[in-house]
Amino acid sequence: MISSIAELIADRIGTMPASERRAAQTLIASYPMIGLKTVAEFSAAAGVSSPTILRFVARLGFQNYPEFQSSLQDELAAQLQSPATRTLNPPSPGGGTVSPMLEATLDNMRETFRHLSDKQLADIAARLADRRGKTFLIGGRFTDPLARYMAAHLAIIQPDVFHLAGQESMWRDRLIDMGKRDVLVIFDIRRYQDSLVRFAEKAHQRGVQIVLFTDQWLSPIARFARHVIAGRTAVPSAWDSSAALFVVAETLIGAVTRQLEAKGAKRIREMESLR
Amino acid sequence: MISSIAELIADRIGTMPASERRAAQTLIASYPMIGLKTVAEFSAAAGVSSPTILRFVARLGFQNYPEFQSSLQDELAAQLQSPATRTLNPPSPGGGTVSPMLEATLDNMRETFRHLSDKQLADIAARLADRRGKTFLIGGRFTDPLARYMAAHLAIIQPDVFHLAGQESMWRDRLIDMGKRDVLVIFDIRRYQDSLVRFAEKAHQRGVQIVLFTDQWLSPIARFARHVIAGRTAVPSAWDSSAALFVVAETLIGAVTRQLEAKGAKRIREMESLR
DNA sequence: GGAGCGCTGTATCGTATGTTACGTATTTTG
DNA sequence: CAAAATACGTAACATACGATACAGCGCTCC
């Protein structure tokens, strides 16, 4: 079973003429970076001519050079997405259901946060902590609980936090209350819901700032969003995982709380004494 | 100190116009792969025009698109050579808010699952997949979203799944429907809610089997529970984290789904066709 | 030692790609 | 509310890139 281009090359390098072999060795030596550059650069690095590179690529079974490059990129993308797979780990002995699920989830989180800078989170937190406007939260079929979870926390530490529940027509009526200074937090992962997209668009038209929690394929709502958080969702299960987004949400809740505490913990103390 | 293009983007994304921001977000979402493709593909993926991509690249300080791509490639090459350096976000020594939060959460999950055997999960999953009785889910102030999340999934793959929402008096009225063959899934972490404890006790008296999701200090409901899942909740934040419980919930959802699929995926296929 | 075959590079060609100019739409400012 | 500035996309353009045809060279095998 040949799964990578490197293996493919190792398999066929024996049958190649001298110049193509030099090309192959050059590629392997700095795999796969040289292959992502132009034919001219590749040929120069290998010390052969351009047509030799093209013949080499053709011999590997590719129709043309761009197709070869795409293949390399896909391979690279797969590696980058699952750091665990990089080490060619056997996927857990015994086939228990727990371990792969947990491992995938942990990877998802690391990967999600890898694409998320402190600054980005701080910006969003600042926006949420800015009390000149209101905060609305809403989610899709499976993610609405995340919106509720976040709303439950935010509503305690500051006023004017609303979770949009119920039917579509209900949200729409709330649109009239929304304006430029307000923030709308939307959770939307595949399959993306048309109703949410429509709602986001209308809110966007009213100047509402949208913070979108979505998956790595980006909900169409990203078009209207001021801030986009893309979480990894792939796990060995029939369902997508929202765990990474959940953790981001918790992180944000913590950050907002800290910012408000800095400003003055009056409200929080009041809240405590009311219990 | 800015060392990667991703940081550069995070730094300047605030000063960008809307369309360029879309480009930036698209790039970050699948960093850095889309940046290695052609301008046309990049622009299509971001839903903007080619010139916008070029302006975006120019704003980052590159003379032209190829220069930008080379820079991405160099970065990638450096990463591939030293897997240890793969941290896109430098470990943020000191005041960084993200890293400690994430690390603590990951630790919580590992620790939670360390105390959770495959068998235990399989037993609970089997109990939830057993369709001779009904399934009820309920949660506390902050954990009710978790109950909703789980209910949203379970309700799809099997009938008779009910999330108990609203006021305490509402749940109590549902008690009359509950019996020996039924399962009650309760989420309850500190501070434990008296109302939930009372409810759990009454359900227990009626012979309902209780599955409890709680924290490591165990809600008093544990006294009445058939199964107890104790998740770690401590994080460097003003709030406790429910992330570990969330992941356990997802794992259970996956396990139940698998068991039902084994029995016969008729319902699931029907469900799909109804959409 | 000569004829045939395969390998390789040079030169040329067509085209996909990045680039730029310009007009329209949108937002901002006085 | 008008005017200016900015943002954005359409369309035309130039170039750099991959592809191909062809000729020279070396090797092998009769």
Side-chain angles (χ1 to χ4, degrees), chain A residues 26-27 30-38 41-42 45 65 69:
Chain A
T26 307
L27 176 57
S30 64
Y31 190 81
M33 298 316 296
I34 268 289
L36 299 178
K37 301 194 183 290
T38 66
E41 285 178 278
F42 192 166
Y65 195 72
Q69 286 189 318

Side-chain angles (χ1 to χ4, degrees), chain B:
Chain B
M1 174 56 191
I2 290 175
S3 60
S4 81
I5 295 179
E7 290 177 56
L8 190 63
I9 293 171
D11 188 54
R12 302 198 185 171
I13 197 169
T15 72
M16 293 181 188
S19 285
E20 291 181 35
R21 199 154 49 220
R22 258 180 249 155
Q25 284 162 348
T26 308
L27 175 58
I28 295 295
S30 64
Y31 190 81
M33 298 317 295
I34 202 67
L36 299 177
K37 301 195 184 291
T38 66
V39 172
E41 283 178 280
F42 192 166
S43 65
V48 300
S49 67
S50 304
T52 298
I53 299 297
L54 296 173
R55 281 189 285 262
F56 161 67
V57 165
R59 193 183 298 267
L60 292 179
F62 297 98
Q63 292 300 318
N64 49 32
Y65 194 72
E67 186 183 302
F68 162 74
Q69 287 189 317
S70 295
S71 200
L72 275 181
Q73 286 185 9
D74 292 347
E75 209 179 297
L76 211 56
Q79 274 189 26
L80 288 174
Q81 278 179 18
S82 57
T85 326
R86 283 178 35 87
T87 49
L88 179 64
N89 295 318
S92 70
T97 60
V98 169
S99 195
M101 188 79 180
L102 178 61
E103 283 311 314
T105 301
L106 296 178
D107 279 343
N108 280 340
M109 289 176 188
R110 275 189 284 264
E111 201 55 21
T112 299
F113 275 85
R114 219 167 59 79
H115 293 287
L116 209 59
S117 71
D118 276 359
K119 184 167 183 317
Q120 212 176 335
L121 279 170
D123 285 348
I124 300 175
R127 195 71 198 75
L128 289 173
D130 180 354
R131 279 304 79 203
R132 283 174 301 187
K134 301 183 283 296
T135 303
F136 298 90
L137 298 100
I138 194 172
R141 173 163 198 176
F142 296 120
T143 48
D144 196 51
L146 301 196
R148 283 178 186 271
Y149 186 76
M150 200 164 172
H153 286 83
L154 291 183
I156 289 180
I157 55 177
Q158 54 189 3
D160 294 326
V161 174
F162 306 101
H163 172 253
L164 300 174
Q167 303 178 335
E168 193 182 352
S169 56
M170 304 266 295
W171 326 331
R172 272 207 307 269
D173 295 342
R174 302 298 300 270
L175 270 172
I176 198 139
D177 297 321
M178 303 187 193
K180 287 201 224 317
R181 336 196 99 167
D182 303 327
V183 181
L184 173 61
V185 179
I186 307 182
F187 291 80
D188 190 35
I189 63 174
R190 291 193 307 182
R191 306 137 150 238
Y192 313 117
Q193 289 179 222
D194 285 340
S195 58
L196 275 181
V197 178
R198 284 195 300 272
F199 182 72
E201 183 168 18
K202 293 201 185 98
H204 174 66
Q205 282 164 5
R206 295 186 63 88
V208 178
Q209 295 213 11
I210 295 178
V211 175
L212 174 67
F213 285 69
T214 184
D215 54 31
Q216 58 199 308
W217 298 282
L218 298 192
S219 155
I221 297 177
R223 293 179 54 81
F224 316 117
R226 184 83 173 71
H227 298 282
V228 176
I229 292 166
R232 302 283 162 151
T233 57
V235 284
S237 160
W239 310 93
D240 281 341
S241 164
S242 302
L245 290 178
F246 189 90
V247 174
V248 176
E250 280 197 338
T251 305
L252 264 181
I253 290 167
V256 172
T257 305
R258 207 169 298 114
Q259 291 205 5
L260 288 176
E261 272 174 346
K263 286 186 188 173
K266 198 170 126 231
R267 178 188 172 88
I268 295 175
R269 277 197 305 272
E270 266 181 32
M271 211 71 207
E272 274 298 321
S273 67
L274 275 179
R275 286 208 193 168

Side-chain angles (χ1 to χ4, degrees), chain A residues 187-200:
Chain A
F187 291 80
D188 190 35
I189 64 174
R190 290 193 308 184
R191 304 135 152 239
Y192 312 116
Q193 289 180 222
D194 287 340
S195 57
L196 276 180
V197 178
R198 282 195 300 272
F199 184 70

Side-chain angles (χ1 to χ4, degrees), chain A residues 25-86:
Chain A
Q25 284 162 346
T26 307
L27 176 57
I28 296 294
S30 64
Y31 190 81
M33 298 316 296
I34 268 289
L36 299 178
K37 301 194 183 290
T38 66
V39 173
E41 285 178 278
F42 192 166
S43 65
V48 299
S49 68
S50 303
T52 298
I53 299 297
L54 296 175
R55 281 188 284 264
F56 160 68
V57 164
R59 192 183 299 267
L60 292 178
F62 297 98
Q63 291 301 318
N64 48 34
Y65 195 72
E67 185 184 301
F68 162 73
Q69 286 189 318
S70 294
S71 201
L72 276 181
Q73 285 186 11
D74 292 347
E75 209 178 297
L76 210 55
Q79 272 190 24
L80 289 174
Q81 274 182 21
S82 56
T85 323
R86 298 191 74 230

Side-chain angles (χ1 to χ4, degrees), chain A residues 134 136 138 162-179 182 184 195 198-200 202-203 206 208:
Chain A
K134 302 182 283 294
F136 299 89
I138 194 172
F162 307 100
H163 172 254
L164 300 175
Q167 303 178 336
E168 194 182 350
S169 55
M170 303 269 292
W171 325 331
R172 271 207 307 268
D173 294 342
R174 302 299 300 270
L175 270 173
I176 196 130
D177 297 322
M178 304 187 191
D182 302 329
L184 174 60
S195 57
R198 282 195 300 272
F199 184 70
K202 293 202 186 93
R206 296 186 62 87
V208 178

